Amino acid sequence: MHPALTNPEPRGTPCLAALMQASSSEIYLIDAASLHFVDLNAAARANLGYRREHLRGMTPLDLAPHLPASALHALLDQVGDEVGAQACLRTHHRRADGSAYPIKLTFLRTSRDGQALILAIGDDESAAQAASAALEHYRTRFDAIVSNTPGLVYQFVLGRDGSVAFPYLSEGCAALLGLSTAELQRDPGLFVHLILPEDRRAYLDSMVASASAMSSWNWEGRIWIDAWKDVKWINLRSSPRPLPEAPGSVQWEGIMSNITASKLEKLEVTRSRERLAEL
């Protein structure tokens, strides 16, 4: 460590308490009259990369060159002179190497031995912004995949008490089931009532078997689409996982597909073979 970072403070100079020195947040002690830094904790110095003696001659505006002085002064005027009053702003700090990072600063009024001071607590938001960008990138990719996937991409939850829910339904819901996403999420029980009565028991049994063994759920059966007065064959394939936040509950992620055409072809082939056997 550079000697300047370990030299004791001149007698009478305000400095940060030990707890603030050890904080992972960046903490700045500022002279209220001149706005010069009086002290900075280790997290601030490490992230900025400046020597302590260099920082002593700087102000918050030197670290945030794109922050208008008028904006900073307006913020401090908003805080007023009352000890404990505070206000926040978001800006970018420039490091010694020229790189910049986003930071949220909370300014508080304080005093020490009659000297008016400002305490600024900063949170580096680089990680949060990177995580947000990564999440947005993931969502874009996911939406692109889902929009080009035939059928209905869905999440289905079976609660410990037997309740059911569809946390996620893709836009293919209406085209496949004749129900909007909002309708089915509002009343998840509508789905089982779409299934023809003679196929409903197999659906429920296969769901329970998948939940009990934590094995893939693969079911096909017929549903009645009242809007079109028609019967469809559908196939659902999904994988289960327990929900830690709801012990005893199971969530499936999978795809429902319309297999009416292929099913009718198979049935026609079967009937043709039966007729041929009769002949």
Side-chain angles (χ1 to χ4, degrees):
M1 181 177 291
H2 192 278
L5 300 184
T6 57
N7 285 342
E9 296 292 334
R11 193 172 185 82
T13 300
C15 60
L16 293 168
L19 187 63
M20 293 184 180
Q21 291 286 3
S23 174
S24 58
S25 294
E26 299 179 23
I27 300 182
Y28 307 79
L29 193 59
I30 306 166
D31 180 80
S34 67
L35 294 186
H36 284 110
F37 293 121
V38 176
D39 195 13
L40 296 87
N41 72 345
R45 297 195 305 271
N47 204 4
L48 291 167
Y50 291 103
R51 294 179 179 180
R52 177 177 279 181
E53 65 269 23
H54 190 173
L55 288 162
R56 282 279 170 74
M58 300 175 70
T59 72
L61 294 172
D62 295 315
L63 295 183
H66 298 296
L67 176 65
S70 57
L72 178 61
H73 289 296
L75 182 79
L76 297 179
D77 288 342
Q78 176 187 335
V79 174
D81 296 323
E82 183 181 349
V83 172
Q86 59 181 280
C88 299
L89 71 78
R90 281 184 165 85
T91 186
H92 284 75
H93 272 179
R94 184 173 59 190
R95 298 184 179 93
D97 63 7
S99 63
Y101 62 97
I103 188 169
K104 177 185 177 183
L105 291 164
T106 301
F107 293 90
L108 301 93
R109 289 285 185 179
T110 186
S111 65
R112 184 80 54 81
D113 298 327
Q115 181 179 355
L117 300 167
I118 298 169
L119 189 69
I121 303 172
D123 293 309
D124 183 346
E125 297 188 317
S126 301
Q129 290 194 5
S132 177
L135 180 60
E136 184 60 30
H137 178 64
Y138 168 79
R139 285 175 175 167
T140 301
R141 290 184 60 189
F142 177 77
D143 290 342
I145 292 171
V146 168
S147 63
N148 288 282
T149 300
L152 167 62
V153 179
Y154 72 99
Q155 289 178 323
F156 176 74
V157 172
L158 174 63
R160 183 178 182 179
D161 59 358
S163 61
V164 296
F166 286 96
Y168 176 80
L169 292 162
S170 69
E171 294 302 318
C173 185
L176 181 65
L177 304 179
L179 295 172
S180 70
T181 296
E183 285 178 302
L184 192 52
Q185 287 184 321
R186 186 168 54 248
D187 186 0
L190 289 174
F191 179 74
V192 75
H193 291 295
L194 294 177
I195 302 172
L196 297 190
E198 51 267 40
D199 292 351
R200 202 170 293 164
R201 175 49 54 190
Y203 167 81
L204 295 172
D205 288 346
S206 63
M207 176 176 62
V208 171
S210 174
S212 300
M214 281 294 138
S215 57
S216 296
W217 185 8
N218 185 12
W219 173 83
E220 62 181 39
R222 294 163 295 174
I223 60 173
W224 169 254
I225 310 298
D226 190 62
W228 306 318
K229 307 301 181 187
D230 193 16
V231 173
K232 275 186 182 181
W233 281 89
I234 65 169
N235 170 258
L236 65 84
R237 295 175 180 269
S238 57
S239 300
R241 62 181 177 88
L243 288 179
E245 64 272 24
S249 299
V250 179
Q251 178 167 298
W252 287 265
E253 284 96 12
I255 299 175
M256 292 186 199
S257 305
N258 182 356
I259 59 168
T260 304
S262 62
K263 197 69 179 178
L264 292 179
E265 287 176 5
K266 290 179 181 178
L267 291 174
E268 182 59 33
V269 168
T270 300
R271 283 195 291 267
S272 297
R273 287 175 176 172
E274 289 173 351
R275 289 196 295 269
L276 183 60
E278 292 172 0
L279 290 175

